[in-house]
Amino acid sequence: MQGYDCRGCGQHHDELPFSYWAPAPAYWDEFATDEHSVLGEEHCIIGGEQFFIRGRLVIPVIDAGSVPGASPEFDWGVWVSLSERNYERTTELWTTPGRESEPPYFGWLCTELPLYEPSTLGLKTQVHTQSVGERPTIDLEPGDHPLAVEQRTGITVARVQEIAERFTHP
Ligand SMILES: [Zn+2]
């Protein structure tokens, strides 16, 4: 990408981001000093009883092929909550070759993505384990939520730019 002329601030930005990520699940800040809560790069436990994993909610960029340098995938780095059983399972299998053959796990989306109405918190997802070293991919369950629609039908590079403009200049 050759960057873009930003409608948010009127400047030219050198790079158009195709991914963003949330450093922690929603509500983490309220538990940051709690002794039963822990936050890592890929895992999080809140209050000793809620279990989260970081994943990639990938949206296809349908016209990436006609825009030089554009990525064919846009990705929201999000957190989902898993059942304790599935959380333990992902932890057990963390370095196990072949773990990508796991069936998908159910997860609640626990990241509030900006730009979407209604809120993305609490959307139902399927969590697909990837090979060792790769983050799981998160597929929203079918529905009418704008984020689910975007994941199903894809977005354009123009939309990626709009996300950047609104994200950087709220
Ligand atoms: Zn700007």
Side-chain angles (χ1 to χ4, degrees):
M1 284 294 294
Q2 298 302 308
Y4 64 101
D5 294 319
C6 179
R7 288 165 296 192
C9 66
Q11 306 289 309
H12 182 85
H13 298 303
D14 287 338
E15 202 173 329
L16 177 60
F18 279 75
S19 66
Y20 300 87
W21 70 287
Y27 310 123
W28 166 255
D29 289 351
E30 296 166 38
F31 294 89
T33 57
D34 174 70
E35 61 176 317
H36 302 294
S37 301
V38 58
L39 173 66
E41 278 266 304
E42 313 293 336
H43 296 90
C44 180
I45 299 175
I46 285 184
E49 57 179 17
Q50 288 182 278
F51 305 90
F52 306 88
I53 189 168
R54 181 176 160 189
R56 302 172 59 222
L57 198 156
V58 177
I59 301 175
V61 180
I62 51 184
D63 59 349
S66 58
V67 181
S71 164
E73 289 185 343
F74 176 88
D75 108 57
W76 288 116
V78 296
W79 294 81
V80 292
S81 70
L82 297 177
S83 68
E84 182 170 12
R85 185 166 165 274
N86 285 336
Y87 181 84
E88 283 174 357
R89 180 97 179 131
T90 63
T91 311
E92 274 167 30
L93 295 177
W94 200 250
T95 55
T96 305
R99 67 177 189 169
E100 62 274 20
S101 61
E102 277 289 279
Y105 306 142
F106 176 81
W108 297 103
L109 188 59
C110 293
T111 296
E112 177 149 40
L113 295 173
L115 321 182
Y116 294 97
E117 284 286 339
S119 170
T120 59
L121 276 179
L123 291 174
K124 295 176 177 178
T125 75
Q126 297 287 319
V127 180
H128 298 271
T129 304
Q130 303 296 307
S131 55
V132 172
E134 302 288 325
R135 294 201 172 95
T137 55
I138 311 296
D139 287 347
L140 290 175
E141 292 196 350
D144 295 335
H145 191 281
L147 182 60
V149 173
E150 287 194 340
Q151 187 170 44
R152 192 162 64 237
T153 61
I155 58 176
T156 60
V157 174
R159 170 67 173 155
V160 176
Q161 179 176 333
E162 182 188 315
I163 290 171
E165 288 163 350
R166 294 178 55 191
F167 204 83
T168 345
H169 314 292

